[in-house]
Amino acid sequence: MDTSPPPTPPGRRPARHGPTAPARRPRTGSRRRRHRHHETPDEQRRRLWRRIRRIGYVTLGAFVTGPVLAFLIGCLCFRVPTPDDAVSKQVATVSYDDGSQLAKIVPAQGNRTDVGVDQIPLEVRDAVLSAEDRTFYSNPGFDLTGIFRAAWSQLRGGVGGGSTITQQYVKKTLVGDEHSLWRKYKEVVIAFKLSQRESKDQILGDYLNAIYFGRGAYGIQAAARTYFGKSVSQLDVSQGALLAALIQSPSQWDPAIDPVHAQERWNYVMDGMVSQGWLTPQQRATESFPPTLPRRPVHDGSPTDSRGLIVDAVERELSSLGISEQELTHEGLRITTTIDPAMQQHAVDTEHTVLADQPRDLRSALVSIDPRTGGIRAYYGGDDGVGLDYAEVEKQPGSTFKPFVLLAALQQDPPIGLGTVMSGEPFPGLHNADPGATCDQCNLKQAMTISNNVVFYTLARKIGPQKVADAAHQAGITEPLPDPTEGIALGNKEVTPVELASAYATFAADGTYRPPHLVTKVVTSDNRVLYQAGPDGEQRISPRVTRNVTEAMLDVAGHDHIALSGGRPVAAKSGTVQSRFPNQNNDAWFAGFTPSLSTAVWIGTDHNDPIQTRDGTPISGDGLPGEIWHGFVNSALASTPVQDFPPLHPLGQPIDDHAASAPSSATPTTSSPPSPPPSPASTPSPTPGPSPMTSSPPTP
């Protein structure tokens, strides 16, 4: 039987069936898999490297062409700045803690005069190049090394740097100071475009007419007049080098603010000119650091009443935080302060009410701080917003310094407790103006309440004046307090109202020091947060120790007939500084704290004249200052619950209630009164500081 398949008709392929059908042809991928299955190790390595090379070529191509493409796109999209862009400034807003507006800071527009680059002496231009960009005339508008360095720094969380003069000009006029790779990209592209469009001399001239030199001076012509009182064309190389030195940090390196860093930077500029061949070593040797005109207040549009002093204090604080004057005038900053609007109004109203009918030469300051944050809740330094800020004026504090003597005593080993009894009898050269301040024998709490000078003078001698100064620094006094004597117990060293309120706030905060501050947050117009205050404090003193200091001060306000309403507990102390004139006073203080508020009030004059009420009565701490303090604190805390201080755990000798009622029966810790204090020099102190302490020390 014929089993062969039937013949295939013409034009048709034979059917693939049956045992004789040809096998299916394998697919290409299958052949490759079978082929790879038989690859040798060398072949596999070669194939792997071919793939790696291809990926590398693609990556390298993207790395090279990507930036080029981005650069070209940027050249098409970004505009080149004009000189007019340099004067576009933004108003900064200062607000209360609730967000309501306290003031606006409006940059002065008039202190800017353009000059041609040919009017700027060559040596002055060279000084600027030495300070800011020594390759200016040879670079294409940007510095690749500086760019990569800045990019690497920013990727690691740092800030940029390495900008050429052209980049700086672009940054200051168009792109701003934001620390980002996007800003740096725009800056480089625009700097390149600018270099292609303008000559180097034109760019340098526009830059020098645009930048800020401090003291409200925009442009080098205004700077020359502000610092040296002359036109820029009259500057010599030394003066030009100083202006060039200011460019990097005009608000901080002003010779009137930081002469050390100003001179260091000036030397850097001058030495750079020598290294570049723009100044000979012989010329360099003949040049010296140039003197400048005194700083003058710059009107920034802030209020001219008491709020103006708050704005000034805010600006000083911003500078200490590293926020430059340039940022303040160009970034549209929104500055939130710690000032409570209601408390601030209470402070102003109380000051005006109490002093309304008093002599016109009296000056006053009030500072109130929240011990829980260090935030200044009310700040009154006077009514002249462009005048002297009395909240920052250094004055002798009188007996308000006695709590620091007690603080030092309580930290002795063993502690000198509140129940320690000492002789309070006056002796030649040391007395109390108020007869009620004298006691035969009294414990330390009694001595604090009646403000007995002899007890605290003796105590300071016993523990050592330097330990008193150290205790004051521990609490928050920042003045140096150099070479202290026993007179420090009676307040013969100068402090400011801000410092005293801050140090008392440390007592109120159970020994935790929080720096006094006005600024809580700073945000730019594009919502970048430049600063935000933190709640952290430093535990400097044992809570038990500060509670004992507080205990000693609890009866003072009642004794002075200015106890707070509703029986609110308050620890307080008055202070009076005697005048060089008999039976007169120069300065008067009252300071005190509750758990939620620490407030200091000062009254004095501009010229250290005797302070008197309208009827001629000498002003003491428990007088007008106490009246202002009492009125303000009662108003400020009226709507808040009464807070008690923590329980007392006595240190050292506890208070003997029986001895307190009959102090004459107690045994003093000193067998004889101390020798009288030495009379200090009679040289008058400079205005507006206080008069020197005479043979009559500050009274209670």
Side-chain angles (χ1 to χ4, degrees):
M1 184 177 180
D2 187 3
T3 59
S4 62
T8 303
R12 297 188 62 179
R13 297 175 65 184
R16 294 182 178 176
H17 57 79
T20 59
R24 182 180 295 272
R25 187 178 180 184
R27 293 187 297 181
T28 303
S30 300
R31 284 205 311 274
R32 287 178 179 171
R33 284 192 292 271
R34 287 201 304 272
H35 176 70
R36 290 175 189 169
H37 181 72
H38 298 294
E39 282 182 346
T40 65
D42 287 342
E43 290 172 333
Q44 291 176 348
R45 281 193 294 271
R46 284 196 297 271
R47 182 169 52 80
L48 177 62
W49 279 112
R50 279 197 302 271
R51 180 171 295 177
I52 292 173
R53 281 197 301 273
R54 289 169 185 163
I55 295 173
Y57 294 150
V58 172
T59 303
L60 181 61
F63 184 79
V64 173
T65 60
V68 173
L69 182 61
F71 193 85
L72 293 175
I73 293 173
C75 285
L76 294 174
C77 297
F78 302 143
R79 74 179 182 89
V80 174
T82 66
D84 290 337
D85 291 317
V87 297
S88 61
K89 305 175 183 70
Q90 299 184 52
V91 174
T93 302
V94 181
S95 65
Y96 292 105
D97 68 334
D98 64 356
S100 60
Q101 182 176 300
L102 189 155
K104 286 186 177 181
I105 300 176
V106 183
Q109 299 290 333
N111 195 11
R112 179 179 183 267
T113 304
D114 288 350
V115 292
V117 70
D118 56 337
Q119 295 177 257
I120 304 173
L122 178 60
E123 57 266 28
V124 175
R125 285 178 269 164
D126 288 341
V128 173
L129 299 184
S130 173
E132 298 298 318
D133 185 1
R134 296 177 185 179
T135 65
F136 172 71
Y137 280 98
S138 60
N139 65 52
F142 57 86
D143 177 9
L144 280 176
T145 302
I147 291 170
F148 287 128
R149 183 170 60 248
W152 177 246
S153 175
Q154 289 174 6
L155 288 172
R156 292 185 300 167
V159 297
S163 295
T164 64
I165 279 179
T166 311
Q167 289 175 259
Q168 290 182 47
Y169 176 62
V170 170
K171 177 173 66 176
K172 294 178 187 298
T173 57
L174 275 187
V175 301
D177 287 327
E178 180 184 3
H179 299 301
S180 69
L181 295 178
W182 170 254
R183 194 270 297 169
K184 202 71 176 176
Y185 159 63
K186 287 180 63 178
E187 178 187 300
V188 169
V189 172
I190 298 173
F192 175 77
K193 287 184 66 177
L194 184 62
S195 294
Q196 302 306 304
R197 179 177 300 185
E198 305 285 355
S199 69
K200 288 288 188 177
D201 283 346
Q202 183 64 45
I203 294 171
L204 181 60
D206 289 344
Y207 169 78
L208 289 174
N209 283 320
I211 57 176
Y212 185 62
F213 286 89
R215 299 192 184 185
Y218 291 87
I220 197 163
Q221 173 72 345
R225 294 195 181 281
T226 299
Y227 284 90
F228 303 111
K230 59 177 64 176
S231 172
V232 64
S233 61
Q234 300 173 310
L235 294 179
D236 58 32
V237 63
S238 179
Q239 294 166 335
L242 176 56
L243 294 184
L246 291 171
I247 292 173
Q248 193 174 103
S249 186
S251 301
Q252 296 180 343
W253 291 348
D254 185 330
I257 296 175
D258 191 341
V260 174
H261 282 96
Q263 187 153 359
E264 287 178 356
R265 184 69 178 170
W266 178 83
N267 284 323
Y268 168 81
V269 174
M270 296 291 286
D271 293 342
M273 294 180 71
V274 173
S275 70
Q276 296 296 311
W278 300 331
L279 193 68
T280 66
Q282 293 76 19
Q283 290 173 313
R284 169 71 175 92
T286 63
E287 298 295 335
S288 59
F289 189 75
T292 63
L293 297 175
R295 282 177 62 90
R296 295 179 179 176
V298 178
H299 180 61
D300 57 8
S302 59
T304 57
D305 59 11
S306 60
R307 294 172 299 159
L309 299 178
I310 298 177
V311 174
D312 289 345
V314 165
E315 290 185 19
R316 291 194 299 269
E317 190 169 320
L318 291 176
S319 178
S320 71
L321 295 172
I323 297 173
S324 69
E325 203 169 351
Q326 177 92 3
E327 290 173 304
L328 181 62
T329 57
H330 285 70
E331 294 286 350
L333 300 184
R334 300 192 302 274
I335 305 158
T336 305
T337 71
T338 59
I339 297 293
D340 180 288
M343 287 192 186
Q344 181 65 25
Q345 193 60 52
H346 288 317
V348 175
D349 291 346
T350 305
E351 289 276 359
H352 289 173
T353 299
V354 174
L355 298 179
D357 298 326
Q358 299 299 333
R360 295 175 62 86
D361 65 338
L362 292 181
R363 303 291 182 262
S364 183
L366 182 154
V367 178
S368 193
I369 295 176
D370 185 343
R372 299 161 296 189
T373 65
I376 298 175
R377 307 296 279 156
Y379 187 100
Y380 178 84
D383 288 323
D384 185 356
V386 295
L388 187 61
D389 183 354
Y390 295 99
E392 291 286 0
V393 168
E394 299 169 5
K395 295 287 185 177
Q396 290 183 354
S399 292
T400 60
F401 229 67
K402 288 175 180 174
F404 305 122
V405 183
L406 181 57
L407 172 62
L410 287 164
Q411 295 184 100
Q412 297 301 295
D413 186 14
I416 300 175
L418 303 187
T420 303
V421 177
M422 304 179 72
S423 171
E425 287 286 352
F427 55 85
L430 186 62
H431 64 276
N432 304 296
D434 183 358
T438 299
C439 61
D440 294 336
Q441 313 290 337
C442 53
N443 62 43
L444 297 186
K445 180 172 181 177
Q446 289 175 307
M448 184 73 75
T449 301
I450 63 176
S451 199
N452 182 278
N453 286 342
V454 175
V455 167
F456 284 95
Y457 184 93
T458 305
L459 185 59
R461 170 170 289 183
K462 177 181 178 67
I463 60 180
Q466 186 58 52
K467 290 186 177 179
V468 177
D470 293 342
H473 287 146
Q474 189 180 11
I477 299 297
T478 58
E479 290 298 323
L481 310 177
D483 305 318
T485 65
E486 292 85 349
I488 193 174
L490 310 182
N492 67 354
K493 298 295 182 181
E494 297 176 352
V495 300
T496 69
V498 171
E499 287 181 297
L500 188 61
S502 172
Y504 276 25
T506 301
F507 295 146
D510 298 325
T512 299
Y513 171 74
R514 295 179 175 90
H517 62 276
L518 281 163
V519 179
T520 57
K521 192 173 185 179
V522 182
V523 182
T524 64
S525 58
D526 56 355
N527 293 320
R528 289 181 288 115
V529 178
L530 297 185
Y531 172 77
Q532 186 153 12
D536 296 339
E538 178 187 355
Q539 187 72 47
R540 291 188 174 183
I541 310 168
S542 161
R544 186 176 178 185
V545 170
T546 56
R547 179 61 183 85
N548 275 254
V549 175
T550 300
E551 182 67 23
M553 302 168 68
L554 284 179
D555 295 339
V556 172
H559 178 269
D560 292 342
H561 309 292
I562 47 176
L564 295 180
S565 301
R568 187 185 296 269
V570 62
K573 190 71 194 75
S574 62
T576 307
V577 180
Q578 288 185 320
S579 170
R580 60 186 180 277
F581 300 103
N583 302 316
Q584 297 293 331
N585 304 322
N586 269 10
D587 300 279
W589 299 71
F590 199 92
F593 58 90
T594 69
S596 62
L597 205 62
S598 174
T599 306
V601 175
W602 163 86
I603 285 183
T605 66
D606 286 328
H607 304 292
N608 298 313
D609 297 325
I611 51 176
Q612 299 176 341
T613 64
R614 61 180 176 270
D615 59 6
T617 303
I619 298 173
S620 58
D622 58 355
L624 292 184
E627 188 177 345
I628 293 172
W629 175 89
H630 178 262
F632 166 76
V633 176
N634 267 337
S635 299
L637 299 180
S639 60
T640 65
V642 173
Q643 292 178 278
D644 290 323
F645 291 104
L648 172 68
H649 299 288
L651 283 165
Q653 178 67 35
I655 296 173
D656 185 333
D657 292 335
H658 176 70
S661 63
S664 60
S665 63
T667 303
T669 58
T670 54
S671 57
S672 61
S675 57
S679 298
S682 58
T683 305
S685 59
T687 302
S691 63
M693 184 177 174
T694 63
S695 58
S696 295
T699 56

